[in-house]
Each structure stands twice: as C-alpha cells, then as structure tokens.
C-alpha cells in the first residue's frame, strides 16, 4: 500500500504539468477566469505530489530501511526539483500568455 505513494506522486506530478498545458490550449477562447483555477490546481497538485514523496521517505525512516534511503534520496531530490521547476515555469508561461491576451482583448 505504501508503494502506491510513489505511483500516486508520479501521476499527480504529471497532472500538475498537464493543467497549465490545458490552460495554454484554452487561451485562444479568451476564457481568462479558467487561468487562475488551472494555475491554482497545478500548484496544488505539485505540492500534493511532493508531500507523497515526503510520506514515503518518512515510511522508510520508520521501518529503518537506511539502504533504501541512501539509494533513493538523491533521485527523489532531483525529481522533486524538476517537478517544481517545470510546474513553476509552465504556470509563469501561462500567466504571460493570458496577460498578453487580456491586454489585446481590452
């Protein structure tokens, strides 16, 4: 059951990336209200994905699986950094696109 945290983290992390992409695809419809919702959901799912990884690391500490911790911590840190970085970049890109569309709409 604990192993599902890793799968859940991966799936939710991918959702965090898909939401801004959906927002970018919807930007041509001039639906500016959806941007805030998708951006908030994207950042929230990114946070949930990172929390899942923290719970998994906590589980490894509780069962005292030090070798697993030593083997996986570097990869988890790298993956978390990539997840957060890409999520923030996608949301900033979406913000820029919606601001340009909003300025041209007015």
């Amino acid at each position: 059951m604990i192993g599902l945290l890793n799968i859940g983290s991966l799936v939710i992390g991918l959702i965090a990336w898909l939401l801004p992409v959906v927002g970018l695809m919807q930007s041509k419809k001039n639906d500016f209200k959806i941007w805030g919702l998708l951006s908030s959901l994207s950042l929230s799912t990114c946070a949930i994905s990172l929390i899942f990884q923290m719970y998994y690391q906590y589980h490894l500490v509780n069962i005292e699986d030090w070798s697993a911790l030593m083997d996986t911590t570097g990869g988890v840190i790298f993956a978390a950094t990539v997840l957060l970085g890409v999520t923030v970049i996608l949301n900033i890109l979406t913000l820029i696109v919606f601001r340009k569309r909003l300025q041209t709409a007015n």
Side-chain angles (χ1 to χ4, degrees), residues 73-89:
T73 300
V76 169
I77 294 297
F78 177 75
T81 303
V82 170
L83 173 66
L84 183 60
V86 171
T87 302
V88 169
I89 289 168

Side-chain angles (χ1 to χ4, degrees), residues 5-20 41-54 74-92:
L5 287 173
N6 287 327
I7 295 170
S9 177
L10 179 64
V11 170
I12 293 172
L14 290 174
I15 291 171
W17 288 353
L18 288 175
L19 290 171
L41 287 174
S42 173
L43 293 172
S44 297
T45 54
C46 179
I48 291 168
S49 177
L50 294 174
I51 288 292
F52 277 14
Q53 282 304 308
M54 291 170 62
V76 169
I77 294 297
F78 177 75
T81 303
V82 170
L83 173 66
L84 183 60
V86 171
T87 302
V88 169
I89 289 168
L90 285 172
N91 280 293
I92 289 172

Side-chain angles (χ1 to χ4, degrees), residues 27-45:
S27 69
K28 294 179 182 175
K29 294 182 180 180
N30 290 331
D31 189 7
F32 301 113
K33 293 180 182 179
I34 198 169
W35 171 79
L37 174 65
L38 290 176
S39 182
S40 297
L41 287 174
S42 173
L43 293 172
S44 297
T45 54

